[in-house]
Amino acid sequence: MSQLVETSSYLSSLRERATTKLTNGIRSDLSRASTSEAMAVLFKLASSPSTAGDALALLHELQVHQVEVEMQHEELRCSRVELESDLIRQTARVERAPAAFLVVDEASVLCEINLAGARLLGAASHDLLGRPLSSFLSAPSSEQLQKMLTLARSGAVPETRELQLLPQSGVVRKLLCSAGREVPSGRFLLVLLAPPSSS
């Protein structure tokens, strides 16, 4: 164990000396030095018989660091691939969900909507984005929606309330709606479902 401590101490000392040489005696962050400057110091150390051993030790440490960085890079790349795959999977699940998922801003303007939401509102997604959800609701339901957004803004537990869509072809449709705040964006996530039919 003491040999390990000595080796670590020696390498720290070596790094300190190399940093001092590289920065002309002024303490500085080694990351600011260019690769060519670092290689020049290493070459100088290797050229002198009295410091050739130091150069080899420093070179070994640099190689170990390079391998560590390459391994970390590979781990990050793998993590990124996994995260991107998870994102694609989750996005597909939300897009194909039977419930309508909508993201609206403070003024109830539609920012995102899945296929079920577009079907429920009776238009293509691209035609709905940028329009206020309140424009599809009866006046009392628009007020109800604003109350739900106010509650969600305050962090209250989402409640499910009934909203009424404006009549389409003479048909009045009611929906169950739940609203929650999306913390990162400050927007609101709404989940809309057609109520179970009473038979």
Side-chain angles (χ1 to χ4, degrees), residues 26-101:
I26 300 166
R27 284 290 296 143
S28 174
D29 184 3
L30 191 58
S31 65
R32 288 191 221 142
S34 71
T35 305
S36 60
E37 290 171 327
M39 291 307 291
V41 170
L42 189 58
F43 181 75
K44 267 188 196 175
L45 287 172
S47 299
S48 169
S50 63
T51 55
D54 290 348
L56 287 174
L58 185 58
L59 180 60
H60 173 73
E61 188 178 356
L62 289 171
Q63 289 171 330
V64 168
H65 283 301
Q66 181 180 358
V67 170
E68 286 174 355
V69 168
E70 287 170 358
M71 290 170 70
Q72 289 170 353
H73 181 267
E74 182 59 22
E75 286 174 13
L76 286 171
R77 191 193 64 72
C78 289
S79 295
R80 181 178 175 171
V81 167
E82 284 178 35
L83 286 171
E84 286 175 350
S85 296
D86 287 347
L87 177 62
I88 290 168
R89 248 190 329 275
Q90 292 299 331
T91 302
R93 284 180 188 152
V94 168
E95 190 60 27
R96 293 191 302 252
F101 290 101

Side-chain angles (χ1 to χ4, degrees), residues 9-178:
S9 175
Y10 171 74
L11 290 175
S12 293
S13 164
L14 186 60
R15 181 180 290 125
E16 185 77 26
R17 286 185 290 154
T19 303
T20 302
K21 280 189 176 191
L22 192 58
T23 58
N24 295 323
I26 300 166
R27 284 290 296 143
S28 174
D29 184 3
L30 191 58
S31 65
R32 288 191 221 142
S34 71
T35 305
S36 60
E37 290 171 327
M39 291 307 291
V41 170
L42 189 58
F43 181 75
K44 267 188 196 175
L45 287 172
S47 299
S48 169
S50 63
T51 55
D54 290 348
L56 287 174
L58 185 58
L59 180 60
H60 173 73
E61 188 178 356
L62 289 171
Q63 289 171 330
V64 168
H65 283 301
Q66 181 180 358
V67 170
E68 286 174 355
V69 168
E70 287 170 358
M71 290 170 70
Q72 289 170 353
H73 181 267
E74 182 59 22
E75 286 174 13
L76 286 171
R77 191 193 64 72
C78 289
S79 295
R80 181 178 175 171
V81 167
E82 284 178 35
L83 286 171
E84 286 175 350
S85 296
D86 287 347
L87 177 62
I88 290 168
R89 248 190 329 275
Q90 292 299 331
T91 302
R93 284 180 188 152
V94 168
E95 190 60 27
R96 293 191 302 252
F101 290 101
L102 294 77
V103 175
V104 298
D105 66 11
E106 297 274 344
S108 88
V109 173
L110 287 161
C111 304
E112 298 176 37
I113 188 166
N114 70 348
L115 291 172
R119 276 194 302 272
L120 205 56
L121 297 180
S125 298
H126 61 271
D127 292 332
L128 296 169
L129 297 178
R131 291 177 62 186
L133 178 60
S134 54
S135 68
F136 295 91
L137 302 173
S138 66
S141 289
S142 290
E143 290 174 20
Q144 193 72 260
L145 175 64
Q146 284 308 314
K147 288 179 187 173
M148 292 176 73
L149 297 182
T150 301
L151 282 172
R153 191 179 304 109
S154 71
V157 176
E159 297 176 2
T160 301
R161 298 191 183 186
E162 191 173 82
L163 300 179
Q164 182 177 312
L165 291 171
L166 290 173
Q168 285 184 347
S169 305
V171 177
V172 174
R173 293 179 298 152
K174 294 186 178 184
L175 303 170
L176 297 176
C177 179
S178 177

